[in-house]
Amino acid sequence: MQWTGLNDLREKYLSFFESKNHTRMASASLVPQGDKSLLLINSGMAPLKKFFLGQATPPNKRVTTCQKCIRTPDIESVGKTARHGTYFEMLGNFSFGDYFKNEAIEWAWEFLTKTLEIPAERLWITIFESDDEAEQIWENKIGIPHDRIIRLGKKDNFWEHGSGPCGPCSEIHFDRGEAYGPFESFEQASDCDRVIEIWNLVFSQFDSDGNGHYAEMKNKNIDTGMGLERLACAMQGVDNIFEVDTVQNIMKHISRIAGVDYKTDAKKDVSLRVITDHIRSTTFMVGDGIMPSNEGRGYVLRRLLRRAARHGRLLGITRPFLCEVCDTVINENAGAYPELAEKREYIKKIIGVEEEAFAKTIDKGTDLLTGFMDTLRAEGKTVLSGDDAFKLADTYGFPIDLTVEICEEKGYTVDRDRFTELAKEQRARAKADHAAKAGSSWADNSIKVDAPKTVFTGYTDFTAENAQILAIYKDGAEVQSASEGEDVVIVLDKTPFYAESGGQVGDTGYLRAGETSLYVADTIKSEGHFLHIAFVEQGGVSKGDTVTAEIDKSRRLAIMRNHTSAHLLQNALRAVLGDHVHQAGQLVNETACRFDFNHFSAMTEEEIAKVEAIVNGEIMNAIPVTMQEMPIEEAKKLGAMALFGEKYGDTVRVVTAGPSVEFCGGTHISNTSQIGLFKIVSESSVAAGVRRIEAVTGLGVLELLNGYKSTIISSAKAIKLTNVNELPEKCASLAAEIKDKDKQLESLNQQIANAKTAAMFDNAADVNGVKVVSARLDGTAPDALRKLGDSVKDKGGDVVAVFAGTVGEKGTIFCVCTKGAVDKGANAGKIVQKISALTGGKGGGKPDSAMAGVGDISKIDSAMAEVCAVVGEFIK
C-alpha cells in the first residue's frame, strides 16, 4: 500500500463507485432539509433517508457520496484526546432496492485490496452473530480465512433505530501493526487500537415494528459508511486524524501564528487540537449559511468558535486569528467543495466578526469567572452557582459549556440545573414579548389534502376561470360544503393566488360563482396544495363546484414591484458594501419591501444614498425583467444567486433584472420602470451581523412624501411658524434656548442641593468618630448625586455620605467615603450594596464611591433609616 493524500482518497473512492454505475451526488448541506429530528447532518445516510423511506425518488438506484458531517456530543473531549473530533467526512455507497450483500462485500474488498492495495492479511472482518449469508460470501467468494471472520452480537453488528428498516452489519477492520501493541486476540487488539474499524456495511433487510419482531423486506437496501479521515490514517501510517495531511496543514498554520510546535507541550497540544478541529467545523458550517446565535445550530457554531478563540488565548494569541486560519481550511478543501472558495470572503467575515465580538468580553468574563472561583475557594465551596454562570453567559457571552470546561480545569463544578432554569425563564420572556409584538394570525398549513397538487397560474394570469373546488375544510376537518358566514379553507385544482413563500406574502381576492362570493384573506401552501383562507360572504359552495378565482390585482402589482425592488436592492448592496452581502431574510408585501442581509456595521448616510441611486438608476433604465426555468447547473453558470441553506431541485426558476440574477419562485413585474421609484425608509440592526433595510416603491413613495409633508406642516404650526422653509433654523434656535435653560436649571438645583448638604452636615450623626450624612433628594438625577458626592469629598475629614435620589418612578442610591473614612474601614461599595438590597435593588462600586439602583422606591425611607447601622458594621 502506498501513502495517499486525503483528497486523492476521496476522489479514488467516488470514481471507483462511479465505475460500478453509481451516481455521484454532491455532499448535502450540513443543515438538514426537511428532517426536524436532526440539528446538523451527522452521517452519510442522513440526507438520503428520504430515499430509504420511499418519500422521494433517488436519481439512480445506485448512489455514492462523500458527506460532510458534524457530531457534537463530545465537544468537551475534543483536544483532550487525539481521537475525538466534531467534523469529519463520510464516504458511502448506497443501493435502493438494487444490489445487496454480494456486490457490497465484493466491491468493498476490491476497492481496499486492489485500488488502494491494502494487504489482505492486514484486514479483519466482523459479522452479525447469525448472519450466515455474509460469512459464506466473505469465506467462499472473497477467500477470507474462517478464523479472521469474527461473529459479534447485536450491540456491535446490527443497525437499528426504533421501528422501520434495519439489518445486520459487516465491518472491515485494519491492523495497524506491532507499533500499536501485541496481537493476542481480535478483542484485545481492538481495545488497544491496534485494530481499528474503517468501513461499515449495513444490510437493510428487515422491517422492525419496534417490539422485537422483524419482517423480511421485499426490496433490500445497502448503506455503507467509511470515515475518510480514518481511512487516511491507515493509508498514511499516522496515529490520528490530527496527523492526516490536510488536517496537519491547518494545525501548522495555527502553530506558526502561536509560535509553538505540536508534540512539544501536552497542554499546548490540547489547544492546537481544539482549534484545528473547531475551525474545520465552523468554516464548513458558515459556508452552509449557519450564523452564530444563541440557539440551535447557531449556538453550536458560536460555542465552537468561542472555545477555539479561548484556546487561542491559552496559546498566547491575543488578536483575532481564526479568520486567517480558515483560509487554509478553504484551500485544503476547495477541490472537493468549490463553494468554500466562492464564499471565502463571506466565511472569513462572519468568523472574524464573531471572534472580535468575543474578544471584547473574554478578558472581563475570564476575570469575573476567576473571581467567582477565588470566592468559592475562600469559602471552601466547589460548585459555581447557576446565577453566576448565567451572568457570564448573558453579559459576557460565555457559553455554559465553556464555563463548565474552565471550572473543571480548576476542580469546580457548575449548578447547571439552576442555569437551565434561568435560561428557560429568559426564553419564555423573550417568547412572550415576541408574541405580544407580533400578534397572531389564523392559518392552518397542517391540513393534509388527498388530491392532486394545485396548478399555479399566477405567474401570467390574475384570474382563473372554471377552477374546480377539490376540497373544503372547516375547523381543520374536511367538509362537503360551506354556507354564508363561515370561515373555510378552499383547495382548487388551479389558482392564480400566490401562496406565501420566500418572503412574499400570499395573495388576497375573491372566489366567485354566480351569486356566491368568497373573500380570500390569505393564501398559504401545504405540500404542493394551495390553501385559500376564505370567508363565505354570500351564497354557498360545495366540493366539485367550479369558481372564478380572481386576485386583488392592484395589491399583487404592488407586491410585485416590491419583490423586484428587493432583487435590485441586493445587487446594489453587494456593489456598495461588498460580496459578503447575502440575503438573510425578507418580507415583501403591498406596502413595503423589508430586506435582511449579512453585514457587520451600520450603513453610513453616504452608503444608503449610493444604494438608492443604483436601484433608481436601474428603474429609470427601464430594464426588462425575465423569468425562466432552467437546469440548476445552467443557472449556476449564469452566476444566479441562491439563498444560503436553501435546497433546490434539478430545475430552478431564475429571475433576471439587469445585473441582478437570482433563483426565485416569486412573482415580479415585467420591466423595472414599473417600480416607479425606490426609497429607503430605514436601516437598522436585527441581530449580530444582520442588518435590515425597509423601503417603499411606487405609490408608497408618494405616501411617504405626503407623510413627511404633513409632519413638517404640523411641526411648524406647533411652534407658530408660518414659513416651513424656516423650520430647520427655528428648531436649532429652540434647541439652543432649551439647552441654556437646562444649564440654568441644573445650576439652581445644584445650589439647592449644596444648601441642603450644608444643613445635613450640621445634623450629621457620629459613628465611631466618622460623620455620617444621609438624605433623600427627590427629583435629583444620578449625575447630580455624583456632584454632591464630590462636594462631600472636598470638605475632607472622616465622612460617609449616602444620598437617595429619585426621578419619576426610578431611584438611585449613591455613597461616597472620604479617604479618612476609608482608612477607618468604610467601604462605599459594600455600604451601598446593603442599603440598596433593603429596597430590592442591586449595585456596588469602589471603596470611596459607589452607586446602586433602587428596587422599590416606597422602601427608600425605611432603607435610609438603617444607614448609621450599616456604616457601623464597617467602622470599628
Side-chain angles (χ1 to χ4, degrees), residues 19 47 56 60 73 106 151 257 295 308 324 357 371 426 449 508 511 519 535 601 612 634 684 750 758 804 830 872:
S19 74
N60 185 355
E106 288 174 11
R151 289 178 181 257
I257 294 173
E295 55 186 35
E324 297 175 31
Q426 186 187 56
V449 181
T508 61
L511 305 179
Y519 173 68
F535 174 74
S601 59
E612 269 189 354
E634 184 180 334
S684 61
Q750 188 64 50
K830 293 179 179 179

Side-chain angles (χ1 to χ4, degrees), residues 401-414:
D401 311 275
L402 184 56
T403 298
V404 169
E405 183 175 338
I406 295 172
C407 284
E408 287 178 349
E409 291 172 0
K410 302 295 183 182
Y412 299 100
T413 59
V414 178

Side-chain angles (χ1 to χ4, degrees), residues 712-731 734:
I712 291 170
I713 291 173
S714 298
S715 300
K717 285 182 178 178
I719 57 175
K720 297 179 173 57
L721 192 67
T722 55
N723 186 352
V724 295
N725 293 323
E726 296 174 1
L727 188 60
E729 183 180 344
K730 182 66 174 176
C731 287
L734 285 173

Side-chain angles (χ1 to χ4, degrees), residues 710-772:
S710 176
T711 300
I712 291 170
I713 291 173
S714 298
S715 300
K717 285 182 178 178
I719 57 175
K720 297 179 173 57
L721 192 67
T722 55
N723 186 352
V724 295
N725 293 323
E726 296 174 1
L727 188 60
E729 183 180 344
K730 182 66 174 176
C731 287
S733 173
L734 285 173
E737 188 178 329
I738 292 169
K739 187 176 181 181
D740 184 56
K741 287 182 177 179
D742 284 342
K743 285 182 179 179
Q744 292 177 35
L745 186 60
E746 184 180 350
S747 176
L748 288 170
N749 284 335
Q750 188 64 50
Q751 291 175 36
I752 294 169
N754 290 340
K756 287 183 178 180
T757 304
M760 290 175 213
F761 269 90
D762 293 337
N763 299 299
D766 185 285
V767 177
N768 298 329
V770 173
K771 282 188 174 182
V772 179

Side-chain angles (χ1 to χ4, degrees), residues 461-737:
D461 300 315
F462 294 153
T463 303
E465 296 182 355
N466 299 316
Q468 186 177 23
I469 297 177
L470 300 182
I472 303 173
Y473 294 87
K474 181 183 176 184
D475 297 327
E478 186 171 4
V479 296
Q480 293 301 306
S481 62
S483 304
E484 192 171 307
E486 293 184 331
D487 289 311
V488 292
V489 175
I490 302 290
V491 181
L492 303 175
D493 63 341
K494 61 181 179 179
T495 185
F497 284 78
Y498 182 84
E500 180 180 352
S501 178
Q504 179 176 328
V505 297
D507 278 331
T508 61
Y510 280 90
L511 305 179
R512 292 189 173 97
E515 297 298 317
T516 295
S517 175
L518 288 80
Y519 173 68
V520 178
D522 196 6
T523 313
I524 57 178
K525 193 187 297 183
S526 175
E527 298 180 355
H529 297 99
F530 286 51
L531 310 181
H532 304 77
I533 313 302
F535 174 74
V536 185
E537 290 187 344
Q538 185 175 335
V541 288
S542 299
K543 183 176 178 179
D545 288 354
T546 58
V547 295
T548 296
E550 183 177 358
I551 65 173
D552 184 333
K553 181 178 178 181
S554 62
R555 180 177 180 270
R556 164 71 89 77
L557 287 171
I559 294 169
M560 290 161 66
R561 285 193 290 270
N562 285 327
H563 200 158
T564 304
S565 73
H567 285 221
L568 297 178
L569 173 60
Q570 176 164 225
N571 175 71
L573 286 168
R574 288 171 64 84
V576 173
L577 303 179
D579 289 341
H580 65 276
V581 169
H582 283 272
Q583 179 183 328
Q586 74 171 9
L587 172 65
V588 286
N589 56 28
E590 70 275 23
T591 60
C593 156
R594 191 181 79 193
F595 188 81
D596 296 347
F597 60 99
N598 302 122
H599 191 54
F600 312 96
S601 59
M603 290 177 67
T604 65
E605 290 297 325
E606 183 182 7
E607 288 170 338
I608 292 174
K610 283 183 180 178
V611 168
E612 269 189 354
I614 291 173
V615 174
N616 282 308
E618 302 294 355
I619 293 170
M620 297 304 172
N621 287 335
I623 300 168
V625 179
T626 62
M627 290 140 275
Q628 297 173 277
E629 287 193 353
M630 63 181 71
I632 190 168
E633 293 305 320
E634 184 180 334
K636 288 179 178 178
K637 289 177 184 177
L638 288 175
M641 285 191 66
L643 190 62
F644 258 147
E646 191 72 22
K647 188 72 174 176
Y648 296 94
D650 294 333
T651 301
V652 294
R653 191 165 181 268
V654 176
V655 176
T656 304
S660 169
V661 184
E662 294 188 31
F663 291 19
C664 183
T667 62
H668 293 267
I669 40 86
S670 59
N671 191 289
T672 60
S673 63
Q674 295 168 359
I675 297 173
L677 200 60
F678 173 86
K679 179 64 181 174
I680 293 176
V681 178
S682 66
E683 191 272 350
S684 61
S685 171
V686 289
V690 180
R691 308 295 299 178
R692 170 174 292 172
I693 280 180
E694 298 202 34
V696 291
T697 62
L699 294 175
V701 177
L702 186 59
E703 290 176 9
L704 179 71
L705 294 176
N706 286 335
Y708 287 161
K709 182 179 178 182
S710 176
T711 300
I712 291 170
I713 291 173
S714 298
S715 300
K717 285 182 178 178
I719 57 175
K720 297 179 173 57
L721 192 67
T722 55
N723 186 352
V724 295
N725 293 323
E726 296 174 1
L727 188 60
E729 183 180 344
K730 182 66 174 176
C731 287
S733 173
L734 285 173
E737 188 178 329

